[in-house]
Amino acid sequence: MPSSARSTDWFEALLARVMTLAQPADVAAADFFREHPQIGARDRHALSDRLFAHLRSLPLPDWLAQSLQSLLGPEYDAFWQAMQHSAPLDLRVNTFKAKRAAVRQQLQSHGLDVADTPYSPWGLRLAGKPSLRELPAYRDGLIEVQDEGSQLLVLLVEPRRHDLVVDFCAGAGGKTLALGAWMRNQGRLYAFDTSAHRLDALKPRLARSGLTEVQTMALAHERDERLQRLAGKIDRVLVDAPCSGLGTLRRSPDLKLRQTPQGVEALAAAQTRILTEAARLVKPGGRLVYATCSLLPQENEQVADAFGQAHRDFVPLDAAQPLQRAGVADAATLCHTGHLRLWPHRHQTDGFFAAIWQRRP
């Protein structure tokens, strides 16, 4: 084991690397450890824990603290305390292959402390941060790591089995997989993203999941001309838009240092463009869902309200209703002014926002 002084030197060097803000903290840490192979696995784990605890403890920038204080009022202190803790490890059970109770029992048989999530009908929450990749449930595609809040977004899409469904900003495809399991591998599911690299990460997950009715496509941009053939034909469109990610501060505490008001303004403009283009795909009578993992109204209510004002053929729907139809307990407490509004200190999920519209027939 290294001396305390050596550990301190490593930590200070690691922190200095991260605080340049040239890379996300987890990427910077991974690069640092590759450059220092003499640091053993146990020490890497301890240094990472210390790093992220330190990043969580830093005061929010004034602009962000003021915005959240105006939103939360007397709840702000509870929010800040929640931000000092790491997020739980949530799993989504692949109900195309197995039922939640059976998977929970299987994980418990491997000695894991696991319980049902309080809201998502597919979710399991693990105590600690156990390694999952060697578990049969993971190898067989019975589970995927996915925050409970992200799982709830899929309930708002509420696809029918033979629908045409688009996950417009699919990323690595966590919600694509959840949508496909809901649809029982029927209908047609499209996963679009402007990053081919992120979509490539979906391929092994698709293979484990057993889903076959999924088509991926890397877009050049949100107005990619290949989208024209789908205009007005899609039953359900999910836009989980690129955002500041400030709802994930427990996982990525450096985000509060990496974002700026100017950056949020630019993101809101991009979100508006993406939502407008995605809406063109929705058929008359179809559903559009806009979501972010941001806490800020600039990326959430303001984008949704502006879209609604500019597109009178899209009628807003109450987000609580599909949650209630899915059997979500206390669905109304997850919503505000008709939108899904999740907060870490209230719901023990990442921060999420979602708005729903139906296109007029």
Side-chain angles (χ1 to χ4, degrees):
M1 292 291 292
S3 68
S4 176
R6 186 67 180 273
S7 294
T8 299
D9 289 345
W10 281 339
F11 176 74
E12 290 178 352
L14 173 59
L15 182 61
R17 167 76 68 89
V18 169
M19 291 304 290
T20 66
L21 305 180
Q23 298 170 291
D26 57 345
V27 176
D31 287 350
F32 179 85
F33 292 137
R34 276 194 295 271
E35 295 166 10
H36 296 81
Q38 72 273 28
I39 303 177
R42 180 181 299 178
D43 295 313
R44 289 197 300 270
H45 181 76
L47 287 167
S48 294
D49 284 350
R50 186 178 174 187
L51 169 68
F52 279 85
H54 176 80
L55 292 173
R56 290 188 192 100
S57 72
L58 296 176
L60 293 173
D62 288 343
W63 69 271
L64 181 55
Q66 291 168 6
S67 179
L68 292 173
Q69 285 168 349
S70 67
L71 273 174
L72 291 169
E75 286 187 66
Y76 178 79
D77 287 344
F79 166 80
W80 175 245
Q81 289 302 317
M83 292 301 99
Q84 305 310 303
H85 302 283
S86 61
L89 178 57
D90 291 349
L91 307 177
R92 178 186 57 81
V93 173
N94 178 7
T95 53
F96 180 57
K97 284 190 167 185
K99 295 187 181 299
R100 176 164 69 169
V103 175
R104 179 184 358 97
Q105 291 171 2
Q106 183 182 142
L107 295 176
Q108 288 170 337
S109 74
H110 286 272
L112 298 181
D113 185 353
V114 57
D116 293 349
T117 51
Y119 306 116
S120 168
W122 313 310
L124 295 172
R125 181 161 292 164
L126 298 181
K129 306 291 183 185
S131 176
L132 300 175
R133 290 186 177 274
E134 299 306 315
L135 292 174
Y138 180 85
R139 294 197 306 266
D140 296 341
L142 306 186
I143 54 173
E144 286 284 344
V145 175
Q146 187 177 27
D147 182 77
E148 184 182 22
S150 182
Q151 297 177 39
L152 293 178
L153 295 182
V154 176
L155 300 180
L156 304 183
V157 181
E158 204 175 24
R160 296 158 297 193
R161 289 193 181 183
H162 297 284
D163 277 351
L164 297 179
V165 178
V166 166
D167 187 355
F168 199 81
C169 305
K175 283 172 285 292
T176 304
L177 296 171
L179 288 165
W182 176 308
M183 297 165 68
R184 306 299 298 171
N185 202 35
Q186 299 174 40
R188 172 63 67 176
L189 180 54
Y190 298 93
F192 298 153
D193 202 88
T194 55
S195 170
H197 176 72
R198 286 197 294 266
L199 286 176
D200 285 342
L202 173 57
K203 294 176 181 177
R205 302 172 76 188
L206 270 176
R208 288 196 307 272
S209 74
L211 301 175
T212 57
E213 298 302 312
V214 178
Q215 181 175 329
T216 64
M217 184 165 69
L219 303 178
H221 43 73
E222 67 269 12
R223 301 197 70 177
D224 193 306
E225 62 184 18
R226 291 172 293 172
L227 296 173
Q228 294 304 312
R229 64 187 176 87
L230 298 176
K233 297 179 180 179
I234 305 301
D235 297 285
R236 300 285 194 270
V237 175
L238 170 62
V239 182
D240 184 12
C243 70
S244 64
L246 292 170
T248 67
L249 285 178
R250 295 179 301 172
R251 305 177 193 277
S252 303
D254 57 310
L255 281 175
K256 64 189 173 218
L257 307 176
R258 297 165 58 81
Q259 293 294 350
T260 65
Q262 296 77 20
V264 170
E265 183 178 349
L267 283 166
Q271 290 152 0
T272 298
R273 293 195 305 270
I274 292 168
L275 179 58
T276 299
E277 295 305 318
R280 300 181 193 276
L281 305 185
V282 182
K283 68 188 294 186
R287 184 178 299 181
L288 174 65
V289 177
Y290 169 73
T292 78
C293 56
S294 174
L295 303 172
L296 300 178
Q298 298 96 307
E299 301 180 82
N300 296 335
E301 289 88 353
Q302 292 177 21
V303 171
D305 291 347
F307 174 83
Q309 290 293 325
H311 299 82
R312 295 296 188 175
D313 54 332
F314 282 84
V315 179
L317 302 179
D318 183 356
Q321 293 182 358
L323 297 178
Q324 290 165 348
R325 286 192 289 270
V328 175
D330 301 319
T333 67
L334 307 180
C335 300
H336 179 67
T337 63
H339 304 314
L340 181 74
R341 244 312 190 168
L342 302 178
W343 292 89
H345 68 290
R346 292 182 189 167
H347 308 113
Q348 290 72 56
T349 68
D350 287 346
F352 276 102
F353 169 88
I356 319 174
W357 298 268
Q358 182 178 10
R359 192 167 198 172
R360 294 185 189 276

